[in-house]
Amino acid sequence: QVQLVESGGGSVQAGGSLRLSCAASGNGYSMSCMSWFRQAPGKEREGVADIDSDGTTTYADSVKGRFTISQGNAKKTLYLQMNSLKPEDTAMYYCAADRYKGCLSRYTYKGQGTQVTVSS
C-alpha cells in the first residue's frame, strides 16, 4: 500500500504560479513511476506530468514549458511547479503512483486531490 497526500493548491490569478507537493508513505519502493493528473468538473481525467524512477519525465502538451515535475532526494515527496497558469488549468489535481514506468495515463494509487483555481 502507498499513501499519497497532496498540498499546495489554492486560488491564483492568470499568469501566477503555484507549487503542489505530495507526501508519499508506505511501500513506495515498489512504485516505478509517479505522476500528477487533473480533473475538472464534467471533463475527463488528464495526465499532466509523470516521472519515472530513473528521472525520465513526460508532460502533457497543454502544460509543456509551464509545469515542472520533480522529486525530493528521498523520493518520498513529489512536486509540481506550475507557472504561467491559465484559467483552463483550473481542476482538482491528484498525485498518483504506479508500478510501471510511463504512467501518464494510469495509476495504481492516488491521493485525495488538491484544488487549483485560476481566475482571469
Side-chain angles (χ1 to χ4, degrees):
Q1 288 288 331
V2 175
Q3 292 78 43
L4 303 168
V5 179
E6 303 94 337
S7 61
S11 296
V12 65
Q13 288 193 326
S17 298
L18 282 173
R19 189 192 197 203
L20 306 183
S21 298
C22 171
S25 59
N27 237 0
Y29 73 90
S30 64
M31 298 294 110
S32 295
C33 183
M34 295 192 73
S35 69
W36 291 96
F37 70 89
R38 65 188 180 187
Q39 189 159 22
K43 294 189 177 181
E44 292 189 357
R45 185 183 81 210
E46 178 188 18
V48 172
D50 73 16
I51 183 166
D52 292 337
S53 54
D54 62 4
T56 302
T57 57
T58 305
Y59 295 92
D61 287 343
S62 58
V63 306
K64 277 181 183 176
R66 300 189 297 124
F67 290 11
T68 303
I69 189 170
S70 62
Q71 286 183 298
N73 287 339
K75 296 188 177 180
K76 289 185 179 294
T77 308
L78 183 71
Y79 302 101
L80 185 69
Q81 178 66 43
M82 305 186 295
N83 298 328
S84 302
L85 282 162
K86 304 175 181 179
E88 51 264 43
D89 294 319
T90 295
M92 185 71 80
Y93 283 71
Y94 298 87
C95 171
D98 196 79
R99 295 184 178 91
Y100 305 103
K101 293 182 178 181
C103 62
L104 196 61
S105 60
R106 66 173 186 275
Y107 63 87
T108 304
Y109 301 101
K110 71 174 184 70
Q112 300 275 22
T114 185
Q115 178 68 37
V116 171
T117 302
V118 184
S119 57
S120 58

